[in-house]
Every structure is written in C-alpha cells, then in structure tokens.
Amino acid sequence: MYITSIFCLCTYTCDKNGILARTNDRYKSAYNQMLARLKTLEANFELPSETVLASELGVSRTIIRSILGQLHAARIISWRGRRKRLLRQPV
C-alpha cells in the first residue's frame, strides 16, 4: 500500500505490521537516469549544477547530492566544491 503526503510528496509503504516506512523509489529512479545520462558523455565532461540536475531529473537537490556522493565514492565522477567532472563512463 502506498500513501503520498500532500505536504512533502513523499512515498511511504506499510510493512507487514502496518508501520509506515519511507521508500527510496525516487532516488533509485533518478540514480538510474543519471547513470544512463553519464553513459552518453565523454570523460572529463563537466556536469551542470545540482540545481540544474535536480530540475532535469525532477527530484530535490538532496537526492542529487546523494547520487553525486555515490558516484564520487564509485570513482565515476570527481566532485570538488561546485565542480563535478566525469572520470569514466559507468559500466
């Protein structure tokens, strides 16, 4: 069962005990969209700002920061301050 809050537009699901838990569907979808986008770019390409990425993927900057952190940890991008560069295409 999914419930969408009118106030924060978050998606929640009920577990078997009826307890609401927030899902990460938006994160997963945006992460996969970002990977697909990065596969079309050349190495050393400079990525746009967090605001632009959030707008293009239809998610918050918080989700974009999480995605960038994951890509940085996987050494797919370099992220220093506001500069984000593609180091290699994702596999």
Side-chain angles (χ1 to χ4, degrees):
M1 173 172 90
Y2 288 96
I3 300 169
T4 302
S5 167
I6 296 170
F7 302 105
C8 70
L9 300 176
C10 302
T11 305
Y12 295 87
T13 185
C14 285
D15 66 8
K16 63 183 178 182
N17 299 320
I19 298 173
L20 287 176
R22 194 170 187 173
T23 64
N24 62 352
D25 293 341
R26 285 187 179 181
Y27 172 84
K28 288 178 184 178
S29 176
Y31 185 81
N32 289 331
Q33 289 177 48
M34 179 69 87
L35 288 178
R37 180 178 177 180
L38 294 178
K39 287 180 182 180
T40 67
L41 303 174
E42 298 291 327
N44 291 321
F45 181 84
E46 189 164 341
L47 298 174
S49 70
E50 292 172 7
T51 304
V52 171
L53 290 171
S55 176
E56 290 176 356
L57 298 179
V59 294
S60 68
R61 285 179 43 226
T62 302
I63 291 177
I64 292 299
R65 281 189 217 106
S66 296
I67 291 170
L68 293 173
Q70 188 71 26
L71 294 170
H72 180 68
R75 297 184 181 183
I76 294 173
I77 66 166
S78 127
W79 186 17
R80 293 189 180 142
R82 294 181 182 203
R83 299 192 79 193
K84 299 163 288 297
R85 277 196 193 279
L86 180 65
L87 297 176
R88 63 178 178 85
Q89 290 184 337
V91 180

